[in-house]
Amino acid sequence: MPKIHELRPNPGSKVGRRRVGRGRGSGMGKNCGSGTNGQNSRSGGGVRPGFEGGQMPLQRRVPKVGFSNHRFRVRLATVNVGDLNRFEDGVEVTPELMVQEGLIKKIRDGIKVLGDGDLDVALTVKAHHFSGAAEEKIRAAGGKAEVI
């Protein structure tokens, strides 16, 4: 076990800093490692970080990272009150019946009944969501709006 006053860094692990502009014998005289001409040889020369000579830079080419609500969105199938007139008086309209009748293709994350159109028959409509106007029109026609 070496004593503390005998500790030395490994050979080659400590490299002295490059002293440029100190004569030709140093290997870093005259142009000091900057080359002969061009933007990078000039005082204050060079381009900003990320600049690629006018080509679209990498940080603008790649897709952006961050929060997107896309994974958590709720996709509702929508039905208008006017479309429910195809059912007979007193029928209980369920999501499965709506798919069967072709009112909607899929139930998805739920069904919302919207208030467009007029309802002439008294129905018991079962859905996940109702707009205020839709609920009013169903009740006015003598039916019931039940939230599943």
Side-chain angles (χ1 to χ4, degrees):
M1 190 79 159
K3 295 188 171 89
I4 197 148
H5 66 275
E6 296 171 347
L7 291 175
R8 294 281 175 270
N10 290 330
S13 67
K14 294 290 218 176
V15 179
R17 71 183 182 88
R18 183 180 295 161
R19 300 185 68 221
V20 298
R22 293 296 182 274
R24 291 201 156 183
S26 69
M28 280 289 159
K30 194 171 189 275
N31 297 323
C32 308
S34 290
T36 313
N37 274 325
Q39 188 175 17
N40 290 318
S41 71
R42 311 286 188 210
S43 165
V47 292
R48 65 182 176 272
F51 185 69
E52 297 184 21
Q55 173 176 300
M56 187 60 67
L58 182 68
Q59 71 269 21
R60 290 186 61 194
R61 287 198 306 262
V62 297
K64 298 296 169 269
V65 178
F67 178 76
S68 169
N69 202 37
H70 187 268
R71 287 173 50 200
F72 310 105
R73 69 181 175 179
V74 177
R75 295 168 58 195
L76 298 173
T78 57
V79 179
N80 281 309
V81 168
D83 299 334
L84 300 175
N85 280 321
R86 69 174 69 187
F87 297 107
E88 292 176 17
D89 213 1
V91 173
E92 185 177 281
V93 182
T94 61
E96 291 76 24
L97 186 61
M98 290 182 202
V99 172
Q100 189 179 329
E101 283 290 318
L103 278 174
I104 55 173
K105 287 184 181 175
K106 292 180 186 173
I107 296 174
R108 291 185 169 181
D109 296 329
I111 293 176
K112 182 163 186 170
V113 181
L114 303 175
D116 193 30
D118 293 315
L119 189 61
D120 305 325
V121 288
L123 301 170
T124 303
V125 184
K126 293 188 174 187
H128 301 89
H129 303 278
F130 292 90
S131 71
E135 209 166 340
E136 267 180 41
K137 288 180 181 182
I138 292 168
R139 289 210 178 108
K144 285 198 296 186
E146 292 182 15
V147 177
I148 301 174

